[in-house]
Amino acid sequence: MGEGLISELKLAMPWGHIAAKAWGSHKSPPVLCLHGWLDNANSFDRLIPLLPKDFYYVAMDFGGHGLSSHYSPGFPYDHQNFVSEVRRVAAALKWNRFSLLGHSFGGTVGGMFSCIFPEMVDKLVLLESSPFILETNELENMLSYKRKAIENMLQVEASKKPSQVVSPEEMLQGFLKNNSHVGEECGKLLLQRGTTQVATGLFLNRDRRITRPEYYFNFISRELFVHSIRKLQARVLFIKATQGFYDLRRENDANTELVLFVTSSLRSTLKERFQYEQVPGNHYVHMNQPQHMAGIISSFLQSKERIPAHL
């Protein structure tokens, strides 16, 4: 696609705006791209140019991330709010049916959206992601997550400290230390959209009320998961990286049982509407080596078998 047509969008929301960047012509079939936790729309800068040019790709920044407005004071961030942002963006762009491409947390938002609004999603691509997060390993932690989310919000509101301004080099090193799967080049790309430059250096754009992902997730039971995916009308492409993550907090990362449960449930429910692919790489393979998955995603987006809507 080369640089193609890349445009910046600013979509009005009740609390401000959602920022997004778009590739291609808005007359082409739409694909909404959802980034991972604390990332931003630049997450897709290296993958989208390798995908078919006859689609309209829109990568949004979730609220409080990238160039999107922060939520109003006192209004908490929560998994379901991110799902409703997808619905709001679709309304702002006047889309009634589109495809979703989500990395990590973005795929979990896209998965939940696709089950709540099944008639709106024709294809769902999950990159190193799961359509829902299961509570299996987390039951004893869930109340403390909710408590920490509330305490953290109150703490940030009480501390009137301005955002920390650091040198670009320090910012990059800090970022790479916290995100071991992101290479230097990709780290710079995410920070381009994730920081603002001032005279003395850079500060992070993201809302400091957003901290650890587990504080904001909607954990669900296996039973509810199986029930929810029966609602899907979309075809689903599930891409797993060989050195990716299997567990939310990465502490039980050797435990692949949950991923196997998720994929086998999707396969038995969706049958030929489910495709599973494994690619070499880590959790950020879509940025580090996008060529490992571009062909698979391209074929999936271009495949024509339409699914009858009544299924």
Side-chain angles (χ1 to χ4, degrees):
M1 191 177 284
E3 284 309 292
L5 273 168
I6 302 186
S7 49
E8 282 288 339
L9 309 177
K10 204 169 174 180
L11 308 168
M13 297 287 144
W15 63 90
H17 69 271
I18 289 282
K21 60 197 294 188
W23 288 257
S25 158
H26 67 89
K27 295 186 178 72
S28 302
V31 181
L32 185 63
C33 307
L34 306 174
H35 64 77
W37 193 250
L38 300 184
D39 291 343
N40 55 61
N42 278 11
S43 180
F44 299 100
D45 273 17
R46 302 184 67 180
L47 175 62
I48 288 172
L50 307 180
L51 299 183
K53 310 198 179 8
D54 42 0
F55 289 90
Y56 182 46
Y57 302 93
V58 174
M60 62 182 271
D61 292 325
F62 283 123
H65 293 71
L67 302 177
S68 287
S69 304
H70 295 181
Y71 282 2
S72 309
F75 186 67
Y77 288 89
D78 173 73
H79 191 143
Q80 201 165 319
N81 295 340
F82 294 121
V83 175
S84 69
E85 285 181 24
V86 173
R87 185 65 190 82
R88 289 177 184 278
V89 165
L93 296 170
K94 300 187 170 56
W95 294 351
N96 16 339
R97 198 165 164 87
F98 52 96
S99 295
L100 279 170
L101 168 68
H103 171 243
S104 198
F105 173 74
T108 305
V109 172
M112 190 173 181
F113 180 88
S114 303
C115 295
I116 297 176
F117 296 98
E119 74 291 352
M120 295 186 75
V121 184
D122 65 347
K123 290 177 182 170
L124 171 65
V125 181
L126 300 167
L127 306 177
E128 267 290 289
S129 185
S130 170
F132 288 93
I133 301 291
L134 300 183
E135 65 189 18
T136 312
N137 299 334
E138 298 292 349
L139 281 172
E140 69 220 48
N141 302 318
M142 277 158 59
L143 290 175
S144 72
Y145 289 160
K146 292 190 185 312
R147 175 181 175 130
K148 282 173 182 160
I150 293 169
E151 286 179 342
N152 174 66
M153 184 160 87
L154 296 178
Q155 196 184 336
V156 172
E157 288 170 355
S159 106
K160 296 278 186 277
K161 281 198 316 226
S163 294
Q164 204 183 359
V165 176
V166 299
S167 72
E169 186 49 36
E170 206 179 329
M171 179 71 80
L172 182 63
Q173 290 320 316
F175 182 84
L176 297 175
K177 196 168 128 231
N178 290 330
N179 299 273
S180 59
H181 284 223
V182 182
E184 185 163 336
E185 206 180 325
C186 299
K188 283 181 178 161
L189 203 50
L190 289 170
L191 287 174
Q192 237 173 46
R193 196 176 178 89
T195 56
T196 295
Q197 194 159 6
V198 289
T200 47
L202 301 174
F203 65 85
L204 285 172
N205 293 340
R206 67 175 165 80
D207 194 325
R208 284 185 298 168
R209 290 176 291 174
I210 306 174
T211 52
R212 300 176 65 86
E214 56 268 32
Y215 298 172
Y216 309 90
F217 272 139
N218 261 3
F219 292 95
I220 67 171
S221 65
R222 293 180 185 223
E223 192 183 2
L224 182 54
F225 171 72
V226 170
H227 182 78
S228 301
I229 61 174
R230 287 189 196 132
K231 300 274 184 257
L232 283 168
Q233 289 178 24
R235 299 173 58 207
V236 177
L237 169 61
F238 191 107
I239 299 183
K240 193 85 202 72
T242 48
Q243 274 84 53
F245 295 151
Y246 284 92
D247 179 75
L248 170 68
R249 285 172 306 139
R250 297 163 221 161
E251 286 165 21
N252 313 321
D253 227 14
N255 180 3
T256 57
E257 191 263 335
L258 270 187
V259 171
L260 291 173
F261 173 77
V262 166
T263 50
S264 61
S265 305
L266 285 165
R267 185 173 285 116
S268 59
T269 304
L270 302 177
K271 303 190 167 55
E272 69 287 349
R273 287 189 290 146
F274 179 67
Q275 181 184 345
Y276 176 88
E277 300 286 348
Q278 205 166 32
V279 298
N282 68 18
H283 191 60
Y284 278 85
V285 62
H286 73 294
M287 288 191 84
N288 298 327
Q289 294 111 357
Q291 67 282 5
H292 288 180
M293 56 172 61
I296 299 167
I297 296 170
S298 300
S299 308
F300 179 75
L301 288 176
Q302 287 175 316
S303 58
K304 283 290 184 276
E305 319 87 279
R306 298 296 302 176
I307 306 302
H310 61 266
L311 276 189

